[in-house]
């Protein structure tokens, strides 16, 4: 097994390794149901650190291509669709990882009196002015935009307008660090929608297109609503997968 050093040369090493295995899965060298080599074997064959290989496998798991099974190994469960981002959800930690694996670029940051109908729909206080922004979320691995986000932040966060423009981390992380709050609970609502003209255009869509809408509400330890994110995803570039167990 040999890694193509010319591919993704500007990407971190673990991303290069992940793309190497994505290509191998796509062209049938590792068909669905087969096992990848052990981490130790990959380290030996590609002369890589255990950390690099483990992170590469994590990328494959996050994209829904493989699963890890105790005493069995890493099993290929599907072939890659390079244009689609898969969000696996089983805990709040997975949601936080999602924010780190994608990039949200915000624009049109403003303070806005939320219209009554919109406030009720989103679970916001009626007739209050909140800090608002609109953004596009991109898969950092493919560079493809897949989600429009309409963000609403509690007006208690004084000076956050400027911080949003300069931020280099996830919004939730910035709130926790800059304002000493803790995100304790997140509520989610999912529904199928049809993109409006403005949101469709932002994602490069033409005509009447369906999407997946996910509204997330972030609460602190006292139950106060800190943030609402209204996310609408391109159906051809996004998968949502949830794991439930007894």
């Amino acid at each position: 097994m040999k890694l193509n050093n010319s591919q993704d040369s500007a990407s971190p090493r673990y991303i290069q390794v992940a793309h190497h295995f994505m290509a191998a899965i796509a062209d049938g060298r590792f068909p669905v149901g087969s096992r990848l080599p052990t981490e130790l074997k990959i380290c030996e064959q590609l002369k890589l650190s255990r950390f690099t290989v483990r992170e590469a496998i994590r990328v494959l798991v996050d994209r829904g291509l493989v699963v890890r099974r105790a005493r069995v190994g890493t099993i290929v469960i599907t072939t890659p669709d390079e244009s689609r981002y898969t969000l696996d959800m089983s805990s709040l930690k997975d949601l936080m990882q999602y924010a780190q694996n994608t990039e949200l670029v915000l624009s049109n940051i403003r303070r806005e009196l939320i219209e009554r109908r919109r406030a009720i729909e989103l679970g916001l206080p009626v007739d209050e002015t909140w800090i608002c922004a609109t953004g596009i979320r991109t898969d950092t691995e493919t560079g493809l935009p897949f989600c429009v986000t309409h963000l609403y932040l509690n007006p208690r966060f004084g000076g956050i307008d400027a911080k949003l423009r300069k931020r280099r981390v996830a919004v939730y992380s910035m709130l926790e660090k800059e304002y000493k709050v803790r995100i304790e609970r997140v509520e989610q609502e999912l529904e199928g929608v049809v993109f409006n003209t403005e949101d469709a255009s932002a994602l490069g869509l033409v005509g009447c297109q369906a999407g997946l809408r996910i509204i997330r509400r972030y609460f602190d330890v006292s139950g106060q609503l800190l943030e609402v994110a209204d996310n609408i995803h391109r159906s051809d570039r996004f998968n949502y997968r949830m794991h439930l167990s007894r």
Side-chain angles (χ1 to χ4, degrees):
M1 180 165 44
K2 185 178 180 181
L3 187 66
N4 184 353
N5 291 320
S6 65
Q7 183 183 22
D8 306 320
S9 58
S11 302
R13 194 64 166 169
Y14 76 93
I15 294 294
Q16 296 179 42
V17 176
H19 284 180
H20 168 81
F21 279 103
M22 287 178 194
I25 293 170
D27 66 21
R29 281 176 281 164
F30 293 104
V32 172
S34 66
R35 282 185 294 181
L36 296 186
T38 65
E39 289 184 2
L40 183 58
K41 193 72 172 177
I42 297 172
C43 290
E44 293 174 349
Q45 292 177 335
L46 297 180
K47 296 181 171 51
L48 297 169
S49 70
R50 192 71 175 267
F51 173 80
T52 297
V53 172
R54 186 173 292 116
E55 286 298 291
I57 299 299
R58 179 186 60 76
V59 171
L60 300 181
V61 172
D62 288 345
R63 293 190 69 86
L65 299 177
V66 302
V67 293
R68 285 169 162 161
R69 292 177 180 159
R71 296 183 295 278
V72 175
T74 303
I75 311 299
V76 178
I77 59 173
T78 190
T79 55
D81 177 351
E82 291 296 334
S83 67
R84 191 182 295 268
Y85 182 90
T86 297
L87 172 59
D88 275 291
M89 281 289 295
S90 59
S91 69
L92 187 55
K93 181 180 178 181
D94 294 328
L95 181 57
M96 303 312 186
Q97 187 65 47
Y98 163 70
Q100 295 172 9
N101 290 343
T102 61
E103 181 180 12
L104 176 64
V105 177
L106 295 172
S107 61
N108 191 23
I109 301 169
R110 75 257 180 217
R111 290 178 178 261
E112 181 178 301
L113 178 64
I114 309 301
E115 185 265 333
R116 180 181 179 85
R117 182 176 177 182
R118 179 73 169 160
I120 293 173
E121 178 185 35
L122 294 173
L124 293 166
V126 174
D127 297 328
E128 278 194 12
T129 297
W130 276 50
I131 301 145
C132 307
T134 303
I136 301 296
R137 189 173 292 278
T138 302
D139 182 349
T140 53
E141 290 182 33
T142 66
L144 294 173
F146 66 90
C147 175
V148 174
T149 294
H150 300 283
L151 186 68
Y152 303 84
L153 297 172
N154 194 304
R156 67 179 270 195
F157 299 121
I160 197 172
D161 315 52
K163 295 178 189 296
L164 284 173
R165 294 185 178 93
K166 299 176 181 178
R167 66 177 251 283
R168 292 292 182 270
V169 296
V171 174
Y172 81 87
S173 181
M174 186 190 72
L175 293 180
E176 292 190 325
K177 180 178 180 181
E178 297 289 338
Y179 295 92
K180 310 304 178 187
V181 297
R182 175 179 168 81
I183 304 297
E184 185 68 20
R185 177 169 57 91
V186 178
E187 290 182 355
Q188 290 194 137
E189 289 184 14
L190 289 77
E191 64 174 335
V193 295
V194 175
F195 276 96
N196 64 36
T197 302
E198 185 177 355
D199 288 345
S201 177
L203 290 180
L205 294 169
V206 179
C208 184
Q209 298 283 346
L212 177 64
R213 183 188 192 190
I214 304 178
I215 299 174
R216 294 192 180 97
R217 303 179 184 91
Y218 297 75
F219 298 86
D220 67 9
V221 293
S222 68
Q224 184 177 26
L225 181 62
L226 303 180
E227 174 186 348
V228 175
D230 185 6
N231 309 281
I232 308 177
H233 307 78
R234 282 186 58 151
S235 59
D236 61 338
R237 291 185 181 172
F238 182 77
N239 282 337
Y240 184 94
R241 184 164 52 210
M242 182 178 292
H243 302 273
L244 302 174
S245 59
R246 217 164 184 172

